[in-house]
Amino acid sequence: MTETIMRTADRVIAATYKRFPVVMERGQGCTLWDTQGRRYTDFVAGIAVCNLGHAHPRIADAVARQAGQLVHVSNLYYTIPQTELASLLVEHSFADRVFFGNSGAEANEAAIKLARKFFKDDRQPERFRIVSMEKSFHGRTMATLSATGQDKIRQGFDPVLEGFSFVPFNDIEALKSAVDDHTCAVMLEPIQGEGGVRCPDPGFLQQVRALCDQRGVLMILDEIQTGMGRTGTLFAHEQYGVTPDIMTLAKALANGLPIGAMLATERVAAAFGIGAHASTFGGTPLVAAAAAETLKIMIAEQIVDRARETGDYFKDALQRLKSRHPCIADVRGNGLLLGIQLDRPAEGLVPVLMEKGFLVNCVQGDILRFVPPLIIRKNEIDALVQCLDEVLTR
Ligand code: PLP
């Protein structure tokens, strides 16, 4: 059966994904099982998506209840789950308003459109340019790949959208030179995820905020990977003493159901009036109910504090591993967004660890990234670190 599934998939699904030769069938908490009955501890979590683990009973119940009541209606009408979710997000963030889409890319599309519209409405139509960071990742739609500072993502899709430029992450002087009277926004991830788990230097995000204020430019934070408790605070920017004008979320927001959200202050969100933007499925009741339940569990069970504490434990263990293995050049990240950079290619380690029952992921060729569910236990972390120790010794 496994072989048939893989062969059929390779024939009928667009060949955009390089996949490992396993068919995943079932999950529970931080464990996944494939169709051969092999068991894996999941340090990928759908790439920072399933923060509360797989098959969470309360989320499964919320989805089942909502599915039996109302899956979808148009945004022509109000619904209870969408209103509840937006209220929770507003209550727990800097934002006054939320626009819902279905993915991270769509959340960023909305942010880009809102930044441009804000200045059009302000009679400054010449301000439409966005400065973002080298090695950033903001998505795969035309606008979001235009905002992404990695050539390999943009390759083959020229001409990209006009109005995007890039500066090195953590280079405030370069950013000061790049921001001009045509800039509407600076867009960045608080910690670069796909770019290799790169943290901001002390003070960098505050300098970006100050520059944006000085130049009258909007600050867009892409918290699609860093948000929802991943880095040890509900949103990563809280740790760096800055507040954006616009923030985007997706990934973990509904613990695995597809959703994206763009949050903004009232002043900025006012540019999105009736008809300015829309999405058929955005904030649809089924997904919104899952997201609202996810957020309620996270708050009631103090999952964010737990992620911070477990993340510190994990990072310490990785630092100790580094002291024993000179091939580990760096240990980076915050909370449960962690990475080790090797002094050599790291891709080959992924199938080796998989063979031993651990799912991890490699970014930028030489970095192993760890983004487990936030409910990961210390003994599961110990087991992975011990396995890494053995594999690196070999
Ligand atoms: N922004 C960041 C920081 C991401 O990590 C990702 C996905 O990895 C995206 C945007 C795009 O999200 P999606 O794949 O849901 O469109």
Side-chain angles (χ1 to χ4, degrees):
M1 192 257 282
T2 303
E3 279 296 321
T4 313
I5 295 286
M6 292 192 297
R7 240 181 298 120
T8 309
D10 287 345
R11 194 177 67 243
V12 298
I13 299 173
T16 57
Y17 301 104
K18 185 173 170 209
R19 298 186 205 259
F20 293 98
V22 293
V23 179
M24 292 301 180
E25 190 170 48
R26 189 165 65 85
Q28 185 70 58
C30 299
T31 307
L32 282 172
W33 286 266
D34 68 15
T35 43
Q36 317 263 46
R38 283 179 303 214
R39 176 195 163 111
Y40 307 90
T41 309
D42 188 2
F43 283 83
V44 177
I47 312 190
V49 169
C50 306
N51 278 5
L52 298 177
H54 301 281
H56 193 291
R58 276 185 56 186
I59 298 169
D61 274 357
V63 169
R65 236 180 301 121
Q66 191 61 45
Q69 190 174 332
L70 184 68
V71 168
H72 175 78
V73 286
S74 164
N75 277 311
L76 291 169
Y77 314 105
Y78 296 97
T79 68
I80 297 167
Q82 188 180 126
T83 310
E84 188 183 15
L85 174 60
S87 303
L88 280 167
L89 286 170
V90 164
E91 184 188 338
H92 292 280
S93 74
F94 69 94
D96 302 305
R97 287 186 187 268
V98 187
F99 176 86
F100 291 110
N102 311 284
S103 66
E106 272 182 80
N108 282 337
E109 282 276 342
I112 292 164
K113 285 181 71 175
L114 179 62
R116 286 188 169 188
K117 181 80 166 33
F118 176 80
F119 286 102
K120 293 276 185 306
D121 287 6
D122 199 41
R123 298 211 188 89
Q124 301 184 68
E126 71 287 356
R127 276 194 185 266
F128 66 91
R129 301 188 65 87
I130 291 183
V131 184
S132 61
M133 303 294 133
E134 290 173 7
K135 289 202 161 75
S136 58
F137 184 75
H138 297 298
R140 301 279 195 155
T141 60
M142 277 313 294
T144 57
L145 73 80
S146 304
T148 290
Q150 299 188 54
D151 288 344
K152 67 173 190 217
I153 306 285
R154 295 199 302 269
Q155 213 166 39
F157 301 105
D158 285 336
V160 296
L161 218 66
E162 193 189 341
F164 293 88
S165 61
F166 307 96
V167 297
F169 190 58
N170 279 328
D171 188 340
I172 192 68
E173 293 308 320
L175 186 62
K176 281 180 185 167
S177 310
V179 169
D180 61 21
D181 294 344
H182 296 277
T183 309
C184 66
V186 175
M187 178 171 186
L188 73 169
E189 301 150 83
I191 298 175
Q192 291 190 329
E194 303 301 308
V197 191
R198 284 171 206 282
C199 295
D201 288 342
F204 176 65
L205 292 178
Q206 284 169 328
Q207 289 170 319
V208 175
R209 178 71 268 181
L211 176 69
C212 289
D213 290 342
Q214 250 166 34
R215 306 298 293 268
V217 162
L218 300 176
M219 182 177 184
I220 303 174
L221 281 182
D222 175 341
E223 292 240 23
I224 285 162
Q225 190 159 144
T226 56
M228 307 318 296
R230 173 58 52 192
T231 68
T233 44
L234 188 56
F235 307 113
H237 67 259
E238 296 167 17
Q239 304 167 40
Y240 297 104
V242 294
T243 305
D245 300 292
I246 301 174
M247 170 173 74
T248 52
L249 299 174
K251 285 197 180 279
L253 185 50
N255 206 51
L257 278 83
I259 187 167
M262 184 212 53
L263 289 76
T265 58
E266 183 66 46
R267 176 179 82 99
V268 178
F272 260 9
I274 287 170
H277 197 40
S279 164
T280 293
F281 289 124
T284 199
L286 183 72
V287 177
E293 190 69 6
T294 301
L295 206 47
K296 282 192 248 174
I297 297 168
M298 286 192 60
I299 291 158
E301 298 184 7
Q302 295 166 336
I303 298 289
V304 180
D305 294 339
R306 185 170 160 178
R308 186 165 55 242
E309 202 196 305
T310 322
D312 288 347
Y313 178 85
F314 195 174
K315 196 172 179 182
D316 283 349
L318 292 172
Q319 297 282 13
R320 285 197 299 278
L321 193 69
K322 177 176 182 288
S323 67
R324 288 197 297 280
H325 296 279
C327 67
I328 301 180
D330 198 15
V331 174
R332 295 200 286 266
N334 266 357
L336 284 167
L337 172 53
L338 294 174
I340 55 175
Q341 181 162 28
L342 301 192
D343 64 1
R344 62 199 70 182
E347 250 157 29
L349 287 178
V350 176
V352 174
L353 289 164
M354 199 165 173
E355 187 63 32
K356 294 180 179 298
F358 297 97
L359 301 183
V360 303
N361 142 268
C362 176
V363 286
Q364 303 291 325
D366 58 352
I367 296 152
L368 290 183
R369 176 176 50 178
F370 309 107
V371 282
L374 304 185
I375 57 166
I376 192 87
R377 288 191 303 262
K378 289 179 181 168
N379 64 325
E380 291 167 314
I381 291 170
D382 294 342
L384 171 74
V385 173
Q386 193 188 332
C387 182
L388 273 167
D389 200 2
E390 287 163 17
V391 166
L392 293 174
T393 302
R394 265 204 280 125

